Structure formats: structure tokens, C-alpha cells
Amino acid sequence: LVLAALQSPSTLASPAVRTIILAHTTIEDFNRGTFFQTGMTRQGDGEVTLLRLGVAGDWITTTNATGFVPRFEHAAVAYANRLYVFGGRTDTGSLRSIQYASVNTETHDLSNWVTATTSLNTSIYTYTTGQAGVTGLSAAVLNGRVYLLGGDDGQQLFRYNTVAFATLDPDTGELGALSTTAPLPKRLVSGQA
């Protein structure tokens, strides 16, 4: 990788202007840098800006959604080349389900979506009005476990301070049973983790 400072033709003639070149010769050198997996965007006046993270290109919207229950106000994490989606709301109600799909690391295609045997069960998310699900929760992965924080009952009648966790099996994708740990100091909905 070679990154050079871009200059207009009028500044190239000036002896006070220097071209800066940053060269990485190995993958290890490149990975230590701050431009890992980045791109550039063009600004309106001709200058360019490095993206903080990501790829400069179009979003791919033709991914496999077979088996996926469309939802919003859900939580999601990535672990061991899988995407996991927790709870959320549909047009007709809220969900207790957890779904996951494998990501092909070469094509970025998704496998068919699977509904996990573990769910956001009523023994942990105890406030129920009918079959209310859990929405507005947040999720994070740490040391092979997913942690689910807060949320509400899906009808915005009750907010949780619950912190639940489950192990993630890197081979099968399945989650272990949900357990709880010390709760959040306040009830929280629509947080980020």
C-alpha cells in the first residue's frame, strides 16, 4: 500500500511543498495502521476524505432473506462469521425470537436464516401482556458470549434493566441457555452497546 498526499498542479512547482508517502510492506505493518479496510470519498470542492472504516461503494441489498422475520427495534451482533438478531418489533407485534445466518467470507452471501432454540423467554423477561416480546434492547459480544441489555416489553408499557447472557457456539451457531447477571442501574431502552 502506498498513500501519497494529493496536490494541485499549482502547488507542485513550489519548492516548499513536499509529497508525503506512507509505505507498508507487510500485512502486519498494514494492520497496525489506522487506514485498515478504508476507502475515500470525494468532497464537493475536489478534496478527498478517508473513510474512518468501511468500503466506499454501493450497499448490496440482494442478500438472502430466506427464513428471516422482518423486524425493527431489534439488537444485532456479528460473531464467528454469523449475524445474530435478537427480538424486535413487526407491524403486528413484538418478538421473542433469536435468528442467525452464516456469512460467506468470500462472496458475503448469507445462508438461510435459522431461528435459534434459545429465545428471549418469559422466565427472564417477566413482564408480559399477552405474548409481548422484547424490543429496544442492545447487544454486545465478549469472550464467546452475547450480552443483552435493557429493552422494553414491545408495547412500551415496561422497560427492563435486565442484563442477560448466553454462550455462542462457534461451530453450530446455536446459543446456550440465557442467564442473568447484575442488572443495569436504571431501566434502559434503545441504548447502544
Side-chain angles (χ1 to χ4, degrees), residues 23-187:
H24 292 291
T25 58
T26 67
I27 290 176
E28 290 78 19
D29 288 343
F30 183 72
N31 286 343
R32 278 196 303 265
T34 56
F35 301 126
F36 181 61
Q37 293 184 347
T38 192
M40 290 191 282
T41 59
R42 183 181 176 126
Q43 304 301 312
D45 60 358
E47 68 182 358
V48 294
T49 301
L50 290 173
L51 298 174
R52 291 181 60 103
L53 181 68
V55 178
D58 295 333
W59 284 94
I60 299 169
T61 59
T62 56
T63 57
N64 184 8
T66 303
F68 183 70
V69 177
R71 58 187 78 199
F72 57 100
E73 294 183 12
H74 57 278
V77 295
Y79 177 75
N81 294 328
R82 287 187 186 85
L83 297 177
Y84 292 85
V85 179
F86 304 90
R89 188 185 311 275
T90 67
D91 289 338
T92 58
S94 55
L95 302 167
R96 290 187 175 278
S97 65
I98 300 170
Q99 291 190 287
Y100 62 90
S102 296
V103 180
N104 182 314
T105 57
E106 291 181 18
T107 65
H108 306 288
D109 289 337
L110 297 178
S111 68
N112 291 345
W113 287 85
V114 176
T115 299
T117 55
T118 300
S119 69
L120 305 174
N121 56 53
T122 57
S123 64
I124 293 176
Y125 296 96
T126 56
Y127 184 84
T128 58
T129 52
Q131 293 297 317
V134 183
T135 67
L137 66 166
S138 47
V141 173
L142 181 65
N143 297 328
R145 292 181 178 88
V146 61
Y147 290 84
L148 305 174
L149 308 138
D152 70 38
D153 68 339
Q155 298 179 20
Q156 299 179 350
L157 299 174
F158 185 80
R159 291 182 173 183
Y160 294 103
N161 63 345
T162 303
V163 177
F165 68 93
T167 57
L168 293 162
D169 187 316
D171 297 321
T172 67
E174 274 293 336
L175 285 81
L178 278 175
S179 301
T180 58
T181 187
L184 297 169
K186 292 185 176 185
R187 298 180 188 281

